[in-house]
Amino acid sequence: MRLSRFRKSFPLYGQTLAVEHEAFVESSRSTLKVDGEVVAEDGVEKGQPDPLRNHLLTWARPDGRVLTVEIGPANTWSYGCHARLDGETVFETHPGKALGYGPKMQAYLKWAEANNTPEMKARNEAALKRNWPSLATDIVLGLGFFFVAREFGLVTAAVGGAAAGLILWVAQKLTKIDLLGGLAMFGIVMALLSAAFALIFQDDRIIQHRGTIMGIVGAIPFLIDGLTGGQRLAARLARYFVFDVDARRLGIGMGILGFASAGMNAAAVALLSQDMWLIFTTFLDIPIALVLFFVMLAWVRKGPEARAY
């Protein structure tokens, strides 16, 4: 699977030079073409030393001079190239900027390689096998809530969601297949409360604020645990990470993340129409929460009390 492609063309003494760099999951390769003909290639395969090195393309011109093209990351989002003829710069995509992966990327690669063991692969495969039913269930329930709410209203969607949760809970008990994930009962209770409020008050706003309530309810115990040392909820959550974490920071971070999610949902309810809120809560809030989660993890890993759990 190709992850990215970088292409650049530039003229040199009446000829057209074209550079192409492609990055794949387990390899990368670069080519240099002169008037459409490949004259130099370079690449790195998985398992080779220094997999994050810049690519160097060298071409000896007919006049005896040597052109060297260096290709590497120019920033977090894009690649760049520097072309030099006998050491003299003739083309740069990013003038004056050194190309290459920074120390953070180098450190990440070392961590990834250290954890890329048969034991870790087996654990990841077992986790995926164990969790895919609940992940698929979450996606189906979310899409179901979205379409039912669009066609029949939020009250019907809330009652239908609660009924679906109870049916899945019974099916999980009978089949012994984990369909609802680790917070199954919490999710079912929140769905039942949402349905009860919907039937009693017939108020769409209460249903829309279910995410707000869940965010606050989940945030408070984590935040209290983090502020008191993180040796209860946070320490248990820390066992799921393969890298060192600071449990105190993890508890505080999860609390802040819960309040942030609650705030996002409350703001969406207040500022958006019901249809736009449905789109936000179905397709946008989870990606935003994931970005915040990874930012929080970066802070947690740097904690002064970070260790393996």
Side-chain angles (χ1 to χ4, degrees):
M1 182 178 66
R2 184 171 59 202
L3 302 177
S4 65
R5 173 186 284 177
F6 166 76
R7 289 174 169 175
K8 204 69 180 179
S9 299
F10 59 94
L12 183 65
Y13 296 118
Q15 294 179 301
T16 300
L17 280 67
V19 173
E20 181 178 66
H21 172 83
E22 295 178 296
F24 302 89
V25 175
E26 295 186 346
S27 64
S28 59
R29 64 179 179 229
S30 298
T31 59
L32 171 65
K33 295 181 180 180
V34 177
D35 293 335
E37 180 183 353
V38 176
V39 297
E41 295 179 296
D42 192 13
V44 176
E45 299 290 336
K46 181 180 179 180
Q48 292 182 345
D50 197 10
L52 293 184
R53 68 173 176 80
N54 289 348
H55 289 193
L56 293 176
L57 304 170
T58 303
W59 172 52
R61 289 171 45 84
D63 60 8
R65 291 189 290 177
V66 177
L67 178 74
T68 302
V69 180
E70 180 183 12
I71 304 172
N75 51 51
T76 305
W77 312 107
S78 63
Y79 286 84
C81 70
H82 292 177
R84 297 175 177 84
L85 187 61
D86 283 347
E88 181 181 351
T89 298
V90 292
F91 178 77
E92 287 182 302
T93 56
H94 299 76
K97 183 176 179 61
L99 303 177
Y101 289 100
K104 290 185 178 180
M105 189 61 183
Q106 298 282 355
Y108 171 77
L109 178 68
K110 292 180 180 179
W111 170 82
E113 287 294 325
N115 288 278
N116 189 25
T117 61
E119 179 185 359
M120 187 59 62
K121 289 181 179 179
R123 286 177 59 186
N124 289 337
E125 291 174 1
L128 179 61
K129 184 178 180 180
R130 182 176 64 250
N131 292 327
W132 79 261
S134 61
L135 292 173
T137 300
D138 282 343
I139 294 172
V140 171
L141 287 177
L143 291 176
F145 183 90
F146 174 79
F147 288 112
V148 172
R150 287 289 297 271
E151 295 296 325
F152 304 103
L154 285 176
V155 174
T156 303
V159 175
L166 288 174
I167 292 171
L168 287 168
W169 180 73
V170 173
Q172 179 171 290
K173 290 292 184 181
L174 295 175
T175 62
K176 306 300 181 183
I177 299 174
D178 184 11
L179 298 173
L180 296 172
L183 296 176
M185 290 309 300
F186 178 75
I188 291 174
V189 169
M190 292 305 300
L192 289 172
L193 287 175
S194 178
F197 277 113
L199 292 173
I200 294 171
F201 298 103
Q202 298 289 310
D203 189 347
D204 288 349
R205 288 278 174 168
I206 292 177
I207 303 169
Q208 287 180 279
H209 276 298
R210 180 175 60 181
T212 307
I213 298 169
M214 290 179 67
I216 294 173
V217 170
I220 291 174
F222 268 107
L223 188 60
I224 293 174
D225 183 46
L227 292 174
T228 56
Q231 296 307 307
R232 295 178 179 84
L233 288 174
R236 292 176 184 175
L237 180 61
R239 297 173 186 173
Y240 291 93
F241 299 111
V242 296
F243 45 79
D244 294 354
V245 297
D246 186 322
R248 183 183 62 84
R249 285 193 176 188
L250 181 61
I252 295 172
M254 290 297 294
I256 294 173
L257 185 61
F259 281 118
S261 297
M264 282 194 301
N265 187 74
V269 173
L271 300 175
L272 304 177
S273 67
Q274 182 173 302
D275 284 347
M276 291 302 297
W277 170 83
L278 267 175
I279 293 174
F280 173 81
T281 194
T282 304
F283 302 108
L284 297 178
D285 65 341
I286 291 179
I288 294 173
L290 282 175
V291 171
L292 295 176
F293 178 74
F294 286 119
V295 171
M296 183 263 300
L297 279 187
W299 178 65
V300 166
R301 294 179 64 183
K302 296 177 181 178
E305 301 174 7
R307 64 180 180 86
Y309 283 82

